[in-house]
Amino acid sequence: MSNDPSNSAPDAEGAAANKTLERVPWGATFRGDVEPDYVGPPTLDPYGEGGDLEAFFWGNQDGDLIYKWHHYLPVYNRLLETFRGTNVRFLEIGVFCGGSLAMWRDFLGADATIFGIDINKRCAMFDGGAATVRIGSQVDTAFLDRVVDEMGGVDVIIDDGSHQSDHIRITLAHLFPKLADRGLYIVEDTHAAYWDRFGGGLHDERSFVNDVKQLIDDMHHRYHEGEISHPALAKHLFAIHQYDSMTVLEKRTRMAPPRSSMIGVDRAGVFDQTVSAGHGEN
Ligand SMILES: C[S@@+](CC[C@H](N)C(=O)[O-])C[C@H]1O[C@@H](n2cnc3c(N)ncnc32)[C@H](O)[C@@H]1O
């Protein structure tokens, strides 16, 4: 732990020696400044929250290259814990250098069905290693159908593909309905939705972050009479978690409309007072 901003400066030599890459946004805005009272891990160190994913990532110097923002790892560790050791069906869009598939395999275990897809034909070399790899585009819906059929369904999807907002939107609209009950749909690197080069911008209607804002309204469609922007998702959205650059959607297929109840005795007479004062209930 340190609040010395110099600790956050990328050590290019050290990073290269470790075969890790410091993520540098391409031609994009990134305020990498550190608050003067910041107390936390230096940029190039683990978050130190423990967890096997962090341990795997930082120990991967000789493994196939993995490309993740550091703070995703403890989040994934928490989110994916319930799937460990199960026969979860797990799809990552964006294979790149193959290392993340090895990391998921190590974490999820031998019984998991793990698929990776990528538009880059070179990624076929990772097929049959830690995972099954298929080559195609995340916006080719017929291809996505074939992949999900081959997987026998899907429980967890990570979109770490092109990061183009219109691609993310197409893939999500197509795959979310295929996701199993209690499944997770995760979109990485949503900061790209603020960048023109990735078909986005701040408050830009094209931006995927704008979709996430609409999804919050869609998830609450029972409480307003406005339009539902993403009908394929609205009724099965149990939760939306927005981390820095990472959107997590929790799906529930057999979701009863939310209800509230009052159970117990109002010994202080607060209920009567509240109702008579016109505060009402919700
Ligand atoms: C950020 S990398 C993936 C990193 C990898 N998941 C990891 O954690 O190490 C993005 C990958 O998405 C792939 N990609 C780009 N456009 C795509 C598309 N339309 N469909 C599928 N994959 C795409 C790229 O070829 C690249 O390998």
Side-chain angles (χ1 to χ4, degrees):
M1 296 280 211
S2 167
N3 61 2
D4 176 2
S6 66
N7 279 348
S8 68
D11 175 352
E13 233 172 69
N18 285 335
K19 293 189 198 156
T20 57
L21 295 176
E22 172 65 353
R23 299 194 69 145
V24 179
W26 307 271
T29 310
F30 179 61
R31 293 188 227 213
D33 49 316
V34 175
E35 296 294 318
D37 57 352
Y38 171 80
V39 177
T43 308
L44 285 179
D45 278 3
Y47 262 55
E49 293 184 16
D52 293 340
L53 285 176
E54 274 201 311
F56 187 96
F57 181 84
W58 293 101
N60 193 51
Q61 278 82 3
D62 296 320
D64 288 325
L65 191 143
I66 316 170
Y67 197 7
K68 293 288 182 217
W69 284 74
H70 307 166
H71 66 279
Y72 296 172
L73 299 168
V75 174
Y76 274 130
N77 220 100
R78 200 160 23 87
L79 289 173
L80 299 178
E81 183 64 36
T82 55
F83 297 101
R84 293 186 90 172
T86 73
N87 56 0
V88 60
R89 296 157 301 178
F90 185 97
L91 172 64
E92 184 167 43
I93 301 168
V95 172
F96 198 41
C97 304
S100 58
L101 294 177
M103 179 173 75
W104 301 131
R105 172 63 67 197
D106 181 78
F107 186 77
L108 294 170
D111 292 339
T113 296
I114 303 179
F115 273 56
I117 62 171
D118 204 292
I119 201 167
N120 187 341
K121 291 193 172 83
R122 283 187 179 213
C123 294
M125 70 172 280
F126 300 109
D127 181 37
T132 304
V133 172
R134 297 289 175 254
I135 303 302
S137 173
Q138 70 175 99
V139 292
D140 177 347
T141 54
F143 167 66
L144 296 178
D145 286 346
R146 285 197 298 278
V147 169
V148 173
D149 281 350
E150 193 181 349
M151 294 176 70
V154 61
D155 301 293
V156 178
I157 297 171
I158 296 177
D159 181 349
D160 188 20
S162 74
H163 305 312
Q164 295 285 341
S165 278
D166 55 344
H167 289 184
I168 297 170
R169 186 173 301 121
I170 290 168
T171 312
L172 175 62
H174 193 73
L175 286 184
F176 192 84
K178 294 180 180 294
L179 199 61
D181 186 29
R182 301 198 174 237
L184 296 178
Y185 195 107
I186 298 148
V187 183
E188 286 190 10
D189 299 1
T190 54
H191 47 249
Y194 291 99
W195 302 334
D196 185 61
R197 185 171 161 199
F198 289 82
L202 181 63
H203 302 147
D204 193 317
E205 285 194 355
R206 299 170 306 153
S207 149
F208 177 68
V209 169
N210 191 56
D211 290 31
V212 176
K213 295 171 186 170
Q214 292 171 334
L215 285 172
I216 293 173
D217 293 334
D218 286 352
M219 188 172 70
H220 294 99
H221 66 273
R222 295 180 183 86
Y223 312 99
H224 64 77
E225 292 176 359
E227 147 192 37
I228 295 179
S229 306
H230 305 274
L233 285 77
K235 296 207 168 123
H236 299 303
L237 265 178
F238 179 68
I240 301 169
H241 312 245
Q242 184 62 53
Y243 299 89
D244 181 317
S245 307
M246 185 189 199
T247 304
V248 182
L249 307 176
E250 280 186 54
K251 179 171 176 176
R252 297 267 170 105
T253 55
R254 285 166 300 198
M255 201 162 64
R259 293 276 184 266
S260 66
S261 302
M262 296 190 197
I263 299 179
V265 180
D266 172 24
R267 294 197 174 84
V270 171
F271 178 78
D272 289 343
Q273 197 184 27
T274 304
V275 172
S276 64
H279 297 317
E281 308 165 43
N282 57 21

